[in-house]
Amino acid sequence: TARGHFERARRLAGEAKLDALAIDAIHMLAFVDTAPADQLKWGREALAVCVASSQPDARRWEASLRNNIGYALHQLGRHDEALDEFTRALEIRRQGTNAGATRAAQWMVAWTLRAQGRTDEAIAMQLQLERECDAAGAPDPYVFEELEILYRGKGDEARAAHYAGRRK
């Protein structure tokens, strides 16, 4: 049922030249088709509408769509491509004013660096995020979890235990 509604919304928005609404409808199809390959397909379709649009509301979707594409690529084990998308999303977020969204984009980059085995780079980014989150009064348990995993992978059980404690 949801698929039919989202496809109808996509069609109507396209006919009305309401690109942001068309993107939103396409983006929602990834919640219906949850396989990473399908999510990648929907993300790329939505991004194509986004980058072709001159409408500011449509262009505002780019960072989120690149994040979604990066996540699908990460799930498919295509970490180099995922890192490219996450990095582009981070660049866009840094141009905005939403610090929380920017930190989330940084986390995705660091998460992918870990998946690539680039542990030291991932640690450096996560430690930077820890400082930024703490300074904002918003400690992030996902940052602590990543640091725990990263330090455990390096065999530093004391640091891993420290972050396990911070996570709780």
Side-chain angles (χ1 to χ4, degrees), residues 141 144 148 163-168:
F144 305 146
E148 176 187 356
Y163 287 106
R166 280 211 75 189
R167 192 164 41 98
K168 295 177 180 164

Side-chain angles (χ1 to χ4, degrees), residues 94-155:
R94 283 182 172 151
Q95 295 170 16
T97 60
N98 186 331
T102 301
R103 287 192 297 270
Q106 287 175 264
W107 187 93
M108 298 303 280
V109 169
W111 176 61
T112 304
L113 290 171
R114 176 174 63 84
Q116 291 179 313
R118 296 166 62 182
T119 304
D120 291 335
E121 292 171 85
I123 287 173
M125 282 194 87
Q126 293 292 0
L127 289 172
Q128 177 186 353
L129 280 169
E130 178 188 25
R131 289 187 299 273
E132 290 176 13
C133 291
D134 286 350
D140 187 335
Y142 293 109
V143 171
F144 305 146
E145 180 180 31
E146 276 297 299
L147 286 165
E148 176 187 356
I149 292 166
L150 287 159
Y151 281 117
R152 187 156 284 124
K154 286 185 71 97

Side-chain angles (χ1 to χ4, degrees), residues 40-54:
L40 179 59
K41 174 187 78 168
W42 291 124
R44 286 186 169 155
E45 184 176 327
L47 183 62
V49 174
C50 173
V51 298
S53 181
S54 61

Side-chain angles (χ1 to χ4, degrees), residues 72-108:
L73 289 164
H74 193 285
Q75 295 300 107
L76 291 166
R78 295 164 56 183
H79 298 125
D80 292 343
E81 294 170 83
L83 183 61
D84 289 343
E85 292 298 334
F86 288 139
T87 299
R88 290 179 79 184
L90 176 56
E91 290 167 0
I92 295 164
R93 291 291 186 201
R94 283 182 172 151
Q95 295 170 16
T97 60
N98 186 331
T102 301
R103 287 192 297 270
Q106 287 175 264
W107 187 93
M108 298 303 280

